[in-house]
Amino acid sequence: MKLLLLFSLLGVLSIANSSANLICYYDSTSFLRPGLAKLDTRSLELALQFCSHLVYGYVGLKPGTHEVFSLNVDLDMFHFRDITQLRAKYPQLKVLLSVGGDRDVDEQHPNKYLELLEANRTEQQNFIDSSMLLLRKNGFDGLDLAFQFPKNKPRKVHGTIGTYWKKFKKLFTGDFVVDPLAAQHKDQFSELARNIKSAYQSANLLLTLTVLPNVNSTWYFDVPKLHPLMDFINLAAFDFYTPMRNPEEADYTAPIMFLDEQQRLPHLNIDFQLNYWLQHRCPPQKINLGIATYGRAWKLSKDSGLSGAPVVSCTMGVGDGGLQINSTEGLLSWPEICSKLPQNQTAIYRGANAPLRKVTDLTQKYGNYALRPADEQGEHGLWVSYDDPDFAGIKAVYAKNKGLGGVALFDLSYDDFRGLCTGQKFPIVRSVKYFLG
Ligand SMILES: *[C@@H]1O[C@H](CO)[C@@H](O)[C@H](O)[C@H]1NC(C)=O
Ligand SMILES: *[C@@H]1O[C@H](CO)[C@@H](O)[C@H](O)[C@H]1NC(C)=O
Ligand SMILES: *[C@@H]1O[C@H](CO)[C@@H](O)[C@H](O)[C@H]1NC(C)=O
Ligand SMILES: *[C@@H]1O[C@H](CO)[C@@H](O)[C@H](O)[C@H]1NC(C)=O
């Protein structure tokens, strides 16, 4: 009945998305944040009715032994179970454990994920055994591989001479090689994934892949070999531009389409990343489009101009963070961004508290941004690129039109879980869920 109604009302041809995935990442360190940024388990629960999967982030990889281990034993020893037990209340929910992310930063062993790939079969078994032990002991449904592989080099800012030199150099050195053994690592990753999969299959555990921002799929992921091994693949298709990677120029952090202007690189957008997987014959239902619930802020200088139209030049790295997340990477949560947008009560403020001017992308292709030009002293300039609930909804529609499995949100703790912005809690989760149908 319902189905027929849908067909007749919307002329829908396919019902493939009637059970779309909404993969909700949960950074467990948000449980330990001070003040309003703390996401406790009760607030988290409100989102779970909308999520098909909760991905608990993050555990680490031990260098040398290649074991999966807790990055915060004091928290995880209770919290793993507190979270997996929520399934009793939300029976549709699967809870996965994610290894890596951008949390497992180990300056002494920056290549430990590559070392795991290079290890022999006996050593890799440590990874598999330790992961299965951790999953089973704590009631997880599976493991998410969010391995930290070397990242693509950011676009360099150059004068004309620099550009000429870059082109010249490229001829001789190849295209900014960050991993000379990438081809070998790609094969080794498929092999490792195959071994994990066969161990997990008999234990009835899920295995998923997260492609982290700026990790180049061409180098590390053999799509035809990998997709049959994964229950699904989440493309974290955002942070193409960040104030850490691109301190001297600001651009859309997560555009859907390529905007072929100002020498943008053609692969730094969602459409390219997605098509790469699709063109290598990954079934679209296997892919979930990753959307960030946070934005990135750059500091504007007087030379950045007043319009704010990206690419914005002469920026000065990371802009002032929000009051709650206090990030050194220019990361602003959605409620922090919302509080900087014009509202009546802030309209009279000046200086660092003056509201930003919001620029809505009417083409629905690139993203929204907001800015406050620097003042005469060169102070208080800020430029923020972000997906608000509306634009996250636009991306959900894009994912649906592409026939994808669904959307992956990174992550619940940066959505407005207190309803500080409009009173509605988890507005981004709700918007995505609504548009995914
Ligand atoms: C695997 O590597 C370890 C450490 O390098 C070594 O001790 C062990 O003998 C190797 N095992 C096999 C089967 O090659
Ligand atoms: C990987 O990087 C190369 C060189 O920078 C680029 O040409 C290619 O499109 C990238 N692949 C993906 C999937 O982004
Ligand atoms: C923000 O972090 C810095 C260190 O990175 C610290 O000195 C400062 O007190 C923090 N501010 C708040 C409001 O937590
Ligand atoms: C904001 O101000 C406008 C006009 O100054 C007024 O019409 C509107 O009701 C105000 N909104 C709120 C939420 O106070």
Side-chain angles (χ1 to χ4, degrees):
M1 281 295 284
K2 245 189 194 159
L3 232 120
L4 270 171
L5 204 67
L6 241 134
F7 270 95
S8 56
L9 280 179
L10 303 169
V12 178
L13 292 170
S14 144
I15 54 156
N17 269 307
S18 62
S19 59
N21 289 325
L22 178 46
I23 317 290
C24 299
Y25 281 74
Y26 165 58
D27 180 352
S28 59
T29 61
S30 63
F31 187 78
L32 303 172
R33 287 185 198 138
L36 291 176
K38 178 188 165 95
L39 172 55
D40 63 28
T41 312
R42 270 186 65 193
S43 311
L44 173 74
E45 262 193 56
L46 194 60
L48 299 185
Q49 60 185 305
F50 304 112
C51 306
S52 59
H53 299 76
L54 187 72
V55 184
Y56 188 113
Y58 290 91
V59 285
L61 175 68
K62 223 176 230 160
T65 67
H66 313 292
E67 284 166 309
V68 178
F69 76 114
S70 162
L71 293 167
N72 186 341
V73 176
D74 288 345
L75 171 67
D76 291 339
M77 63 191 283
F78 301 110
H79 209 52
F80 278 160
R81 285 226 142 258
D82 289 346
I83 296 299
T84 55
Q85 275 165 5
L86 290 170
R87 261 179 329 207
K89 280 197 213 169
Y90 305 92
Q92 93 291 353
L93 192 71
K94 298 261 186 261
V95 186
L96 299 156
L97 184 63
S98 186
V99 53
D102 284 331
R103 288 287 168 202
D104 185 24
V105 176
D106 183 344
E107 265 142 34
Q108 255 114 59
H109 304 94
N111 291 324
K112 62 183 183 177
Y113 283 92
L114 297 179
E115 285 154 20
L116 168 65
L117 302 185
E118 291 163 4
N120 65 34
R121 186 68 215 274
T122 322
E123 293 177 293
Q124 287 183 349
Q125 198 60 38
N126 284 342
F127 178 87
I128 299 175
D129 292 343
S130 61
S131 70
M132 288 177 79
L133 196 68
L134 206 55
L135 296 176
R136 279 183 170 147
K137 212 171 82 187
N138 295 290
F140 286 100
D141 294 298
L143 191 73
D144 174 57
L145 307 177
F147 285 6
Q148 286 219 14
F149 292 134
K151 301 204 175 213
N152 253 347
K153 286 266 190 330
R155 183 174 98 143
K156 287 270 188 315
V157 178
H158 285 287
T160 23
I161 295 169
T163 313
Y164 177 76
W165 171 240
K166 196 172 80 176
K167 276 190 188 138
F168 178 74
K169 213 167 67 172
K170 236 158 81 175
L171 272 177
F172 293 94
T173 61
D175 201 7
F176 314 112
V177 177
V178 300
D179 178 1
L181 298 179
Q184 174 199 313
H185 291 141
K186 188 176 183 172
D187 288 342
Q188 289 167 333
F189 185 71
S190 304
E191 190 57 28
L192 175 63
R194 192 190 333 278
N195 293 334
I196 301 173
K197 179 69 180 178
S198 61
Y200 278 28
Q201 223 157 15
S202 39
N204 209 12
L205 292 168
L206 300 173
L207 182 65
T208 64
L209 175 68
T210 293
V211 178
L212 291 182
N214 299 306
V215 168
N216 190 319
S217 295
T218 314
W219 298 343
Y220 291 109
F221 304 122
D222 187 332
V223 176
K225 281 194 191 147
L226 274 182
H227 76 74
L229 303 172
M230 299 293 163
D231 287 285
F232 52 75
I233 293 139
N234 300 323
L235 298 183
F238 48 81
D239 282 348
F240 292 114
Y241 269 74
T242 73
M244 300 291 284
R245 286 168 58 85
N246 315 85
E248 294 167 61
E249 56 179 14
D251 202 355
Y252 299 110
T253 52
I256 300 176
M257 307 305 287
F258 177 43
L259 185 53
D260 190 4
E261 285 173 2
Q262 297 171 279
Q263 298 179 308
R264 282 189 175 88
L265 298 176
H267 53 289
L268 302 187
N269 55 80
I270 292 171
D271 207 54
F272 184 98
Q273 293 301 316
L274 182 57
N275 286 338
Y276 181 82
W277 282 78
L278 297 178
Q279 280 156 10
H280 289 80
R281 301 192 304 284
C282 182
Q285 325 75 270
K286 276 264 169 105
I287 301 177
N288 302 305
L289 173 63
I291 301 177
T293 55
Y294 57 83
R296 295 281 186 184
W298 279 257
K299 184 175 167 57
L300 294 179
S301 72
K302 271 163 80 175
D303 297 329
S304 303
L306 299 175
S307 88
V311 179
V312 185
S313 59
C314 305
T315 56
M316 299 167 72
V318 171
D320 285 343
L323 293 174
Q324 293 148 30
I325 303 296
N326 193 22
S327 151
T328 54
E329 299 171 332
L331 185 153
L332 292 173
S333 68
W334 165 240
E336 287 177 325
I337 294 166
C338 177
S339 75
K340 290 178 184 291
L341 298 176
Q343 284 149 10
N344 286 9
Q345 60 268 35
T346 56
I348 52 164
Y349 291 124
R350 296 282 177 269
N353 292 322
L356 306 188
R357 176 161 60 83
K358 179 181 170 181
V359 180
T360 303
D361 175 12
L362 298 174
T363 71
Q364 307 195 340
K365 286 181 183 166
Y366 310 110
N368 298 331
Y369 58 89
L371 77 149
R372 178 175 57 220
D375 62 19
E376 262 134 57
Q377 285 73 48
E379 296 296 322
H380 309 308
L382 195 66
W383 193 92
V384 186
S385 171
Y386 60 95
D387 287 340
D388 53 16
D390 289 344
F391 211 85
I394 289 166
K395 287 186 173 178
V397 171
Y398 167 87
K400 202 172 151 176
N401 290 342
K402 286 272 185 177
L404 303 190
V407 161
L409 280 180
F410 295 75
D411 68 47
L412 293 178
S413 74
Y414 298 127
D415 195 357
D416 186 10
F417 57 86
R418 291 179 191 276
L420 298 172
C421 185
T422 63
Q424 190 183 53
K425 295 176 179 174
F426 287 112
I428 298 182
V429 173
R430 284 173 200 269
S431 173
V432 166
K433 178 72 185 169
Y434 176 80
F435 285 104
L436 276 179

